[in-house]
Amino acid sequence: MVGTKIDGNVIAQSVKDRVKKAVEELKTQGINPCLATILIGNNPASATYVKNKHKACEEVGIITKDHKLDANTTQSQLDEIIKNLNNDSAVHGILVQLPLPQQLDEFATTSRISPLKDVDGLTPHNAGLLAMNKAILVACTPSGVMEMFEYHGIDLNGKNVVLINRSNLVGKPLYHLLLQKNATVLTCHSKTKNLTQLCQSADIIITAVGDRNKFTLTPEMIKEGAVVIDVAISRFQEKLVGDSDYDKIIQKASFATPVPGGVGPMTVAMLLKNTITATSLSTQIGR
Ligand code: GUN
């Protein structure tokens, strides 16, 4: 069996088309959606991600405010910038690109973002709402994965899902989103025993390890007709790769995502969507 490619570029474009219409509608009301990004330090991958986010904003008419900070920025300097953006009524969404340099605390930083402007869904407020089935702003990569299931009509009801990631940005939000769709979710990580057997019994595998020296999801590890969502992206042997080789996995899977061109474009598209949601939230409250 050769499965169907889940094409992130195509699905992301359909999200972007909807966002563009929403932006046009907001502009007729005199509202100009604006996303502020904060990039700290010189991580080249992070710089590329932020550049792509700005480009996508421009495509749909969202204004951006770019903050590039020195690698030695202190916590109090960063806190001050976030405070000013929280208080700036022309800014609707705030994104602090992760990871942060080591002198900065990720939890302390993201917690300071106003929950109404939290386009990453990382504040305790928004993470808590998600866990209570009341989410408004959800982390972009997990909501992008859910959009892919929706687009292809992949039913999650009663499905066994193996999730290989437990981070705040990917694994934990996905766990809640999948559970809300009545999937049975097993969250695996570096200490999980018998991962191969667990994968072999899964209807759906969502993998986000991002280190080929530690982990590769091979066709032998999946059952015939499984759905494979590869969230990882890393450089390995001079190439950008996920946790699996798409060309091999698709021979056995019913659906699979390539890398690049799979989940990556969805993360950016959902950021645009969240910026519109955040714009509606803060402009409603401001009235
Ligand atoms: N670093 C990698 N992915 C993300 C993301 O979705 N949001 C932020 N803020 N940083 C990231």
Side-chain angles (χ1 to χ4, degrees):
M1 170 186 191
V2 179
T4 302
K5 172 158 115 179
I6 303 180
D7 190 330
N9 287 318
V10 170
I11 307 171
Q13 191 58 53
S14 76
V15 174
K16 284 197 230 169
D17 291 344
R18 276 180 272 150
V19 169
K20 198 169 178 192
K21 287 207 181 83
V23 172
E24 281 160 12
E25 174 62 30
L26 285 164
K27 286 190 175 168
T28 64
Q29 299 169 37
I31 299 165
N32 289 305
C34 173
L35 173 70
T37 60
I38 305 176
L39 172 65
I40 307 134
N42 311 311
N43 181 327
S46 292
T48 304
Y49 292 142
V50 172
K51 204 168 96 190
N52 289 343
K53 289 170 185 180
H54 283 204
K55 193 168 153 264
C57 282
E58 199 182 319
E59 271 169 42
V60 298
I62 294 174
I63 301 168
T64 51
K65 276 198 170 178
D66 191 10
H67 296 260
K68 284 205 181 77
L69 309 183
D70 189 87
N72 299 319
T73 301
T74 63
Q75 189 71 55
S76 59
Q77 287 169 331
L78 179 56
D79 293 350
E80 184 67 19
I81 291 169
I82 294 174
K83 190 174 93 185
N84 290 337
L85 292 172
N86 282 340
N87 292 332
D88 185 343
S89 62
V91 169
H92 306 103
I94 303 170
L95 176 138
V96 180
Q97 186 66 26
L98 303 174
L100 297 174
Q102 60 170 12
Q103 78 276 16
L104 301 170
D105 183 322
E106 192 172 302
F107 180 75
T109 302
T110 51
S111 300
R112 281 193 167 79
I113 297 172
S114 160
L116 297 174
K117 299 189 179 186
D118 172 25
V119 287
D120 268 319
L122 278 174
T123 57
H125 184 89
N126 284 321
L129 286 177
L130 174 61
M132 308 297 264
N133 284 10
K134 303 282 182 206
I136 302 167
L137 289 166
V138 180
C140 305
T141 301
S143 45
V145 170
M146 299 306 284
E147 192 77 26
M148 289 176 139
F149 290 133
E150 174 104 20
Y151 185 92
H152 282 281
I154 297 169
D155 185 18
L156 298 167
N157 204 29
K159 296 286 165 61
N160 289 329
V161 182
V162 161
L163 183 52
I164 314 174
N165 186 288
R166 57 172 161 176
S167 68
N168 293 332
L169 212 46
V170 178
K172 283 181 210 157
L174 259 173
Y175 170 82
H176 291 295
L177 293 168
L178 293 161
L179 199 59
Q180 283 163 23
K181 295 285 181 190
N182 299 320
T184 303
V185 191
L186 196 58
T187 310
C188 302
H189 47 78
S190 54
K191 306 286 185 294
T192 298
K193 296 201 169 70
N194 303 325
L195 184 59
T196 295
Q197 286 94 317
L198 297 173
C199 288
Q200 283 165 345
S201 66
D203 302 309
I204 299 170
I205 300 171
I206 306 175
T207 183
V209 176
D211 185 348
R212 277 296 190 96
N213 293 312
K214 290 191 182 137
F215 178 73
T216 301
L217 183 77
T218 62
E220 295 71 39
M221 293 167 75
I222 74 166
K223 75 175 179 191
E224 193 73 44
V227 175
V228 177
I229 308 290
D230 194 340
V231 179
I233 186 151
S234 62
R235 213 162 258 289
F236 185 65
Q237 294 169 353
E238 310 293 311
K239 280 197 322 200
L240 279 181
V241 296
D243 287 345
S244 62
D245 290 324
Y246 172 78
D247 292 342
K248 294 180 188 155
I249 282 284
I250 201 65
Q251 305 302 320
K252 200 169 174 188
S254 57
F255 290 92
T257 57
V259 177
V263 176
M266 294 307 297
T267 300
V268 179
M270 300 317 277
L271 171 66
L272 306 177
K273 192 173 171 201
N274 279 353
T275 303
I276 298 311
T277 304
T279 304
S280 305
L281 286 175
S282 55
T283 49
Q284 268 162 28
I285 287 188
R287 281 176 185 180

